[in-house]
Amino acid sequence: MKEFLEEWVPADGILMALPHEETDWNYILPEALQQYKRLVETMVANGCHIVLLCRKVKEAEKLFDKKALKDITFLEAEYNDTWTRDYGPITILKHGDLRALDFGFNGWGLKFAADKDNLVNLQLNDKAVYTKGIYRNERDFILEGGSIDTDGKGTVLTTTRCLCSPNRNGGLTKNEADKQLRKRIGAQHVLFLDYGALMGDDTDSHIDTLARMAPENTILFTGCRNMDDPQFEELLKMRAQLTMFRNAEGEAFNLVELPLPDAIYDEEKHRLPATYANYLVTDSVIFMPTYNQPHNDELAMQTMKIAFPEHKVVGIECLTLIKQHGSLHCATMQLPKGVLGWLG
């Protein structure tokens, strides 16, 4: 029996990677480093331990306030970019035993260089970062952490565009992708969203930009109320499909709509894929991306309390992250309790 763990289980830490001059952050590196400083220090101040990949530990340490350093573990590693959600370990239980699965990563369908990112989990296992015996090589199958979400009860939510894309695993059918998720991560009930694509999204519609599972049979989703927005029709179709979804027991989900941020554009006037669905959940805190849009930011954070009434909701401004077409969830990967070897 395998079980893909929900995001809000207790964790040993959060895996992140610091921008460096050989990442795509190079053109705004000082700004990007300040963005990551803001992310890390806010998470540390709210009870998280951060496992931070970097090129040189002594240089990385200088970025952070001294009071934060005790809750950051710096690890030297080689990596192409900072999106640990998609190349970090996907954690499951197998017959009650923890497993850290290392899936293949090919730069979101061969769009970007990923040769070093694809080796990060091997590097960490070689450094004895993971508890002895829990690492499992699944690198013959391409699977990104941002492309799947679970309620921890066997249901996995994903998107057809991503899981069935031709440049990941040769273009699987839904049925073939379903079988792989059942075999690899223990999915018992797989739901494929066929609609929902944000402009500027490089991931082929990762689920963590669109819809997220929450406790008590709930799904939070990105809505759009502006009929003039070019994304309106696609997100409306997604909402309609969500109303048709049923859980493993045949029950409809409680749907909670997150607002869509006002359009954000890059310097070339291309729209960026800003979304409030790209939040990180811990066992007690939700870290929400905000975009300097007071009304929308506050509405999104208040909406989260509907699905997670006992959680503290903390906003972190992510306007720099979105410049590289990602946000808060993309930049983080939770490491459930028992994953980190030196804590065991």
Side-chain angles (χ1 to χ4, degrees):
M1 180 72 176
K2 294 180 181 178
E3 179 186 0
F4 176 28
L5 291 176
E6 65 272 31
E7 190 165 297
W8 52 90
V9 297
D12 283 340
I14 307 295
L15 180 66
M16 299 179 66
L18 201 62
H20 59 73
E21 61 276 3
E22 294 181 24
T23 64
D24 286 342
W25 294 108
N26 183 51
Y27 75 110
I28 51 169
L29 187 57
E31 179 184 338
L33 288 171
Q34 287 302 307
Q35 170 79 85
Y36 273 77
K37 172 183 170 68
R38 185 161 62 248
L39 290 172
V40 169
E41 291 183 351
T42 302
M43 290 181 186
V44 164
N46 285 277
C48 294
H49 185 86
I50 305 299
V51 178
L52 188 62
L53 306 183
C54 60
R55 298 292 291 279
K56 296 179 181 179
V57 170
K58 290 185 178 180
E59 289 300 312
E61 288 177 337
K62 296 176 183 177
L63 179 64
F64 299 98
D65 294 340
K66 288 185 178 179
K67 63 182 179 180
L69 292 176
K70 63 181 176 61
D71 290 309
I72 306 171
T73 298
F74 296 88
L75 294 173
E76 292 186 357
E78 292 294 322
Y79 51 95
N80 303 94
D81 220 327
T82 57
W83 308 114
T84 54
R85 173 63 46 182
D86 292 336
Y87 59 77
I90 293 173
T91 309
I92 69 167
L93 289 176
K94 183 177 181 181
H95 302 301
D97 294 326
L98 209 59
R99 296 286 182 263
L101 306 185
D102 179 14
F103 287 96
F105 176 66
N106 71 349
W108 306 283
L110 305 174
K111 295 183 182 72
F112 302 96
D115 54 314
K116 296 175 183 176
D117 291 344
N118 193 37
L119 299 176
V120 163
N121 286 306
L122 285 171
Q123 293 179 62
L124 297 185
N125 191 55
D126 289 344
K127 292 174 183 286
V129 173
Y130 302 141
T131 298
K132 185 177 181 180
I134 73 168
Y135 172 87
R136 291 293 184 274
N137 188 332
E138 299 278 346
R139 293 154 54 77
D140 61 315
F141 187 72
I142 303 297
L143 185 65
E144 298 127 27
S147 71
I148 50 175
D149 200 36
T150 185
D151 60 357
K153 297 181 179 180
T155 296
V156 171
L157 184 61
T158 188
T159 68
T160 306
R161 280 190 181 96
C162 185
L163 266 287
C164 301
S165 76
N167 288 337
R168 282 176 171 82
N169 295 294
L172 303 178
T173 65
K174 280 189 190 180
N175 186 52
E176 290 168 336
D178 181 292
K179 288 180 179 178
Q180 287 291 341
L181 293 178
R182 290 172 185 270
K183 171 186 174 184
R184 306 270 184 170
I185 64 172
Q188 300 169 38
H189 182 58
V190 183
L191 299 170
F192 287 89
L193 268 179
D194 299 314
Y195 305 101
L198 299 183
M199 297 174 69
D201 178 20
D202 294 324
T203 69
D204 302 310
S205 297
H206 267 188
I207 197 66
D208 69 356
T209 68
L210 299 170
R212 305 284 302 281
M213 306 205 79
E216 306 300 330
N217 200 41
T218 297
I219 294 177
L220 293 119
F221 70 96
T222 299
C224 181
R225 297 301 179 97
N226 178 8
M227 295 179 66
D228 295 326
D229 192 306
Q231 300 174 137
F232 175 80
E233 185 175 348
E234 187 76 11
L235 291 175
L236 187 65
K237 289 179 179 178
M238 183 186 80
R239 177 182 180 145
Q241 188 176 17
L242 286 169
T243 66
M244 301 299 292
F245 280 168
R246 297 294 182 267
N247 66 16
E249 286 72 45
E251 301 166 332
F253 289 93
N254 305 308
L255 299 180
V256 177
E257 180 178 344
L258 291 165
L260 183 70
D262 295 337
I264 302 173
Y265 299 92
D266 65 15
E267 294 177 354
E268 297 177 348
K269 306 302 181 185
H270 296 135
R271 189 164 178 175
L272 298 170
T275 170
Y276 292 111
N278 207 251
Y279 57 82
L280 174 72
V281 187
T282 72
D283 58 341
S284 60
V285 182
I286 295 170
F287 297 101
M288 285 285 297
T290 62
Y291 303 104
N292 197 23
Q293 300 178 13
H295 174 74
N296 289 328
D297 294 344
E298 181 62 23
L299 178 58
M301 289 192 288
Q302 291 300 321
T303 300
M304 289 301 305
K305 298 292 289 185
I306 298 172
F308 291 90
E310 304 301 319
H311 275 62
K312 179 181 180 182
V313 181
V314 177
I316 309 178
E317 189 256 289
C318 291
L319 283 172
T320 301
L321 274 185
I322 202 65
K323 290 182 179 181
Q324 278 295 307
H325 303 254
S327 200
L328 198 155
H329 194 250
C330 305
T332 57
M333 173 55 90
Q334 71 279 357
L335 303 171
K337 192 165 290 295
V339 169
L340 296 181
W342 65 80
L343 297 178

